[in-house]
């Protein structure tokens, strides 16, 4: 198996990222989207993350993007400014090969460096592999919302998991909300 390199996403990665996400939208329940994001929307997400100083990472093997992960502010309100939500998607042919773990591990460090103090995983469909991945890296169960999504003719739960970053809530954030 080729070595996995994790790096910041660049605009040229948008096509591969969009293709990975499209597969998960069309065939899985991790995303509650029913229509994949366009290339332009994906490029916009990379650009916005970069402009805000938030991590948007890709995992690469032999020059090919095999997965991606990013962190964005959990909610738009200023008081949530120190809390981020993560998103991680891996190419369907490369799942269960350590790519998600490499991405999430790097994302934790980069989200902390960006000033976040808490990371929330919102796991659509209660995906067991995603729950297990997050638990392996120290996330704790924070709640379950039952039957809040409907996709492929069935009701889906959402599981929340959480981990403190850096000083967590033991010290004030780097920047107070306005």
């Amino acid at each position: 198996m080729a070595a996995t390199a994790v790096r910041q996403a660049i605009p040229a990665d948008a096509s591969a990222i969009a293709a990975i996400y499209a597969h998960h939208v069309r065939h899985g329940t991790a995303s509650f989207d029913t229509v994949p994001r366009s290339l332009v929307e994906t490029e916009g997400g990379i650009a916005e993350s970069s402009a805000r100083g938030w991590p948007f990472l890709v995992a690469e093997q032999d020059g090919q993007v095999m997965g991606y992960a990013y962190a964005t502010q959990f909610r738009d309100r200023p008081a949530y400014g120190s809390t981020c939500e993560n998103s991680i998607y891996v190419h369907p042919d490369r799942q269960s090969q350590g790519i998600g773990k490499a991405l999430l591990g790097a994302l934790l460090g980069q989200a902390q460096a960006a000033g976040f103090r808490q990371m929330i995983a919102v796991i659509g469909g209660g995906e067991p592999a995603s729950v297990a991945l997050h638990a392996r890296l120290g996330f704790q169960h924070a709640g379950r919302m039952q039957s809040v999504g409907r996709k492929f003719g069935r009701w889906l739960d959402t599981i929340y998991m959480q981990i403190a970053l850096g000083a967590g809530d033991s010290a004030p954030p780097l920047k107070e909300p306005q």
Side-chain angles (χ1 to χ4, degrees):
M1 183 183 344
T4 301
V6 177
R7 62 169 175 78
Q8 289 292 333
I10 58 174
D13 298 323
S15 180
I17 291 167
I20 290 168
Y21 188 66
H23 172 84
H24 288 280
V25 169
R26 290 184 181 117
H27 303 286
T29 59
S31 170
F32 283 8
D33 276 339
T34 57
V35 175
R37 292 185 189 121
S38 70
L39 179 59
V40 170
E41 289 170 317
T42 303
E43 291 169 338
I46 295 168
E48 180 177 359
S49 289
S50 178
R52 290 179 174 245
W54 296 341
F56 196 127
L57 308 175
V58 295
E60 202 174 53
Q61 291 179 340
D62 294 327
Q64 301 295 313
V65 173
M66 294 295 132
Y68 68 96
Y70 60 90
T72 58
Q73 187 173 313
F74 179 61
R75 298 284 185 260
D76 290 336
R77 294 177 182 89
Y80 287 112
S82 295
T83 302
C84 64
E85 177 180 344
N86 72 42
S87 293
I88 302 172
Y89 292 93
V90 175
H91 189 285
D93 295 338
R94 298 300 173 105
Q95 294 177 338
S96 300
Q97 296 179 17
I99 293 170
K101 184 177 180 184
L103 282 165
L104 185 53
L107 189 66
L108 288 167
Q110 290 200 18
Q112 178 182 334
F116 291 115
R117 291 293 185 84
Q118 300 288 330
M119 182 179 282
I120 308 294
V122 181
I123 302 171
E127 296 291 327
S130 186
V131 170
L133 168 64
H134 285 85
R136 275 194 306 275
L137 289 176
F139 283 74
Q140 299 294 313
H141 182 85
R144 174 187 292 267
M145 297 189 319
Q146 295 182 333
S147 302
V148 294
R150 187 156 174 85
K151 192 171 178 184
F152 305 131
R154 62 189 179 115
W155 290 107
L156 300 168
D157 295 353
T158 296
I159 293 176
Y160 282 77
M161 297 183 81
Q162 180 175 350
I163 191 169
L165 302 174
D169 62 1
S170 68
L174 300 175
K175 180 180 175 190
E176 285 291 343
Q178 301 298 319

